[in-house]
Amino acid sequence: MKKWTALIILGLATVCLLGFTVFYDNFDFRKNEWQQIRGNWRFYNGFLVQDSADPRHINSLIYIDHPQVADATIETFIRIRPDLPQYVTGSIQDQRLLNDVRYIIGAGIIFRMQNQNNFYMFRLAGEEGAVLGKLVDGEWVDIANPRSADYLRERIKFSRNNWYRLKVRVYGNRITCFINDSAVVNAVDHTFSLGRVGICTFKTRSDFDFIRISQ
């Protein structure tokens, strides 16, 4: 997957013509800007890795302390690594795991973050879809729940070989979210106007290849 990072670095001159990059990290080492809230995060072989699938960690979250941004485009590449047994049976436990993989687990982008109880989030939500929502004083509110079959030509499949590009464009009160360059959410919300950017996982292990914030 690092080949994508190489292509992005080589293309920065072109990218900057379209937008000014205010933060970029390819995770070769840990920068001082990163602050962790929950999860088991580490910088390894050019990836940012979250290794905990503890269901008590509803949102494993790490964020960039500065800069804070209002209007921006934020993008990253992610790989979801679900905890599935080698052989799936019809047991209640295995069927719950399959349900989580299909509808629940995921990873994504935090933006306009005020603190750990107030932010927007866009993430994959199982192989069937995604979710855009907000945490307000610790209470979660869904904004949109797009289904992947409605927007993507190929079904999302979580595995070590599959990477997905997530992107959020937030300008004023308008939020547009993308999976692999396909727009899956167009929403309007007025709750947060400025804040930090971060990444998160939800009840699963995940890897991130890079993050870029541009304006």
Side-chain angles (χ1 to χ4, degrees), residues 32-203:
N32 293 332
E33 290 90 339
W34 288 102
Q35 303 294 322
Q36 177 179 333
I37 293 180
R38 285 180 296 273
N40 182 18
W41 297 91
R42 60 194 176 100
F43 292 73
Y44 179 74
N45 280 350
F47 300 109
L48 178 52
V49 177
Q50 200 292 112
D51 274 331
S52 174
D54 190 333
R56 295 172 297 179
H57 294 164
I58 300 300
N59 290 314
S60 295
L61 195 156
I62 190 169
Y63 68 94
I64 303 159
D65 188 54
H66 62 275
Q68 296 192 45
V69 294
D71 297 342
T73 298
I74 307 140
E75 57 187 313
T76 187
F77 273 101
I78 64 170
R79 171 174 62 186
I80 310 295
R81 295 182 285 114
D83 282 339
L84 288 175
Q86 183 176 2
Y87 301 103
V88 177
T89 69
S91 69
I92 293 176
Q93 182 179 5
D94 283 1
Q95 292 308 303
R96 285 176 178 169
L97 287 173
L98 288 176
N99 185 75
D100 284 352
V101 170
R102 189 173 181 183
Y103 297 110
I104 305 296
I105 67 171
I109 297 169
I110 300 290
F111 57 103
R112 290 187 177 174
M113 176 185 173
Q114 315 296 297
N115 53 49
Q116 63 179 318
N117 293 314
N118 292 275
F119 54 77
Y120 290 115
M121 176 197 295
F122 173 63
R123 70 170 180 88
L124 295 178
E127 295 177 333
E128 296 290 333
V131 60
L132 169 66
K134 57 187 177 181
L135 199 66
V136 181
D137 295 331
E139 296 294 327
W140 178 256
V141 179
D142 280 358
I143 298 173
N145 293 94
R147 299 294 87 193
S148 59
D150 295 332
Y151 298 95
L152 305 179
R153 286 179 293 180
E154 295 184 6
R155 178 190 171 199
I156 292 173
K157 178 67 176 176
F158 294 156
S159 78
R160 291 183 176 273
N161 297 321
N162 291 343
W163 290 82
Y164 295 95
R165 183 187 185 198
L166 298 189
K167 180 167 65 176
V168 171
R169 288 179 181 163
V170 54
Y171 290 87
N173 57 18
R174 294 191 174 274
I175 305 170
T176 307
C177 305
F178 301 79
I179 302 173
N180 289 350
D181 292 322
S182 294
V184 299
V185 173
N186 285 284
V188 174
D189 193 88
H190 305 267
T191 307
F192 306 122
S193 60
L194 174 73
R196 298 174 176 86
V197 171
I199 50 182
C200 66
T201 68
F202 190 84
K203 296 186 177 182

